[in-house]
Amino acid sequence: DAGWTVLILSSTTPVARQVFAALAFAAITLTALLLAAANIHLRRRRLNERLQMQESAKAELERRVAERTEELVRAQSELIQASKLAALGQMSAGLSHELNQPLAAIRSYSDNARVFLERGRTDIVGSNLSAIGELTSRMARIIRHLRTYARKEPTTMGPTSVNRAIDDAIGLLQRRIDEAEVDVTIDLPRDLTVIGGEVRLQQVFVNLIGNAIDAMGASPRRAIRISGRDIEDRAILTVTDSGPGIAPENLASVFDPFFTTKDVGAGLGLGLSIIYGIIKQFGGSITARNAPGGGAEFEIVLVPATATLESAA
């Protein structure tokens, strides 16, 4: 009230200390944040590098797997082709007889036809010509079976006739069937079609029927029954023989490569292994067992073409 001004002087040391402490704390905090940010950045960079390395390694692995898969598919295809050629080699004697026999008959019929034509017996000439036509048709069927079986089929799949594959397989093995006096019974629906390949499916039945003929060599009764049925999304085929069957201890090994119960030199043990691979290619399965009435029985489960078409629709 008297108009005085009072000035109080105080030392700045405490304030300076507080300011220094605050600056030091801020510097330490900023340094810690910078170090944390640098650490996070470094970890992210290392993580990105690791992810890039993993992606690179994954791509390299996928490339190698693709190469190995292609090599395996190629090797399997070559093995299948080699197996077919080996089977043709085994059948060559019988096929030669199958072709030589009608050739000899054709020559005989033609010679007779010339003689009867000179005598004016046109009725007999016509009969001989008809017989020659039937024999040439028979030879054409045999050659068609051989040409189909021997060709190298691509691995693509599509609707395949089971009936035709079985007919062609029996046509190739007819000589062995007749010599072994085997009774073959076929019980299939008309036009049973599955997803597969014509040549490979034919090879499946050539091997199964051929194995059955070999197995029944010492059996008093020799019979093979091939049956099939179409159940919803499955086509089930069975090949049963009247042989001695499969020993229980061998049931788990019959599809293993190089497993065979035949004598040395009678087989390499690759037939059933190749069949197993072919059926797997078709998206199906095959099992071996002993039939209730005796003999070996192979059951094949395939995808019917009708089920695939309905799914696509």
Side-chain angles (χ1 to χ4, degrees):
D1 293 340
W4 286 46
T5 299
V6 180
L7 299 177
I8 300 174
L9 302 178
S10 178
S11 175
T12 60
T13 300
V15 177
R17 288 176 179 173
Q18 292 179 359
V19 171
F20 179 78
L23 289 175
F25 178 76
I28 293 172
T29 304
L30 180 60
T31 301
L33 290 175
L34 289 175
L35 289 174
N39 185 39
I40 291 173
H41 175 71
L42 183 60
R43 292 180 63 182
R44 281 189 175 181
R45 189 173 68 179
R46 289 180 177 175
L47 179 61
N48 289 334
E49 291 176 353
R50 190 180 298 113
L51 290 175
Q52 289 177 0
M53 290 177 62
Q54 289 178 351
E55 289 295 327
S56 177
K58 180 181 177 182
E60 178 65 16
L61 180 61
E62 289 177 349
R63 184 186 66 81
R64 291 186 179 182
V65 168
E67 289 179 355
R68 296 296 183 270
T69 302
E70 185 179 356
E71 290 175 0
L72 287 173
V73 171
R74 193 184 308 116
Q76 185 182 34
S77 177
E78 292 174 355
L79 181 61
I80 290 173
Q81 187 68 11
S83 174
K84 289 193 296 184
L85 295 177
L88 285 175
Q90 294 175 351
M91 293 185 288
S92 60
L95 292 172
S96 175
H97 179 80
E98 287 290 325
L99 293 175
N100 285 331
Q101 189 178 32
L103 279 173
I106 288 172
R107 181 172 182 175
S108 175
Y109 279 126
S110 63
D111 291 341
N112 291 339
R114 187 184 302 110
V115 173
F116 284 114
L117 185 60
E118 292 174 354
R119 296 178 181 178
R121 299 292 303 274
T122 55
D123 54 336
I124 300 179
V125 172
S127 175
N128 284 3
L129 292 177
S130 297
I132 290 174
E134 293 176 359
L135 290 170
T136 53
S137 297
R138 174 184 169 188
M139 293 174 64
R141 284 196 302 272
I142 295 172
I143 293 171
R144 179 177 65 83
H145 296 332
L146 283 172
R147 187 171 60 247
T148 301
Y149 186 74
R151 80 170 187 261
K152 191 171 184 179
E153 185 184 49
T155 56
T156 54
M157 296 186 297
T160 303
S161 171
V162 176
N163 307 68
R164 185 184 307 157
I166 293 175
D167 288 343
D168 289 348
I170 291 176
L172 286 172
L173 296 170
Q174 191 63 57
R175 177 70 178 176
R176 290 186 60 192
I177 292 172
D178 293 341
E179 288 180 348
E181 299 180 352
V182 177
D183 181 21
V184 180
T185 304
I186 300 175
D187 181 15
L188 292 173
R190 180 178 298 177
D191 298 330
L192 179 59
T193 307
V194 298
I195 297 300
E198 179 184 357
V199 177
R200 284 170 289 170
L201 187 59
Q202 179 184 342
Q203 185 179 3
V204 167
F205 287 107
V206 166
N207 284 359
L208 288 178
I209 295 171
N211 285 349
I213 294 173
D214 292 337
M216 295 185 297
S219 299
R221 176 177 170 271
R222 302 180 184 92
I224 298 174
R225 185 175 187 273
I226 304 172
S227 61
R229 59 190 188 279
D230 197 343
I231 303 177
E232 297 179 355
D233 58 344
R234 296 181 302 162
I236 302 176
L237 309 169
T238 57
V239 179
T240 310
D241 62 55
S242 60
I246 305 171
E249 63 272 15
N250 293 334
L251 280 173
S253 306
V254 292
F255 297 110
D256 292 345
F258 304 108
F259 176 83
T260 179
T261 57
K262 297 179 181 179
D263 296 335
V264 176
L268 295 176
L270 290 174
L272 290 178
S273 176
I274 291 174
I275 288 175
Y276 184 86
I278 292 173
I279 297 300
K280 284 295 182 182
Q281 283 181 351
F282 295 164
S285 63
I286 181 171
T287 55
R289 58 175 177 255
N290 287 312
E297 183 173 83
F298 290 87
E299 181 181 89
I300 302 170
V301 179
L302 294 173
V303 180
T306 52
T308 304
L309 293 176
E310 290 173 0
S311 300

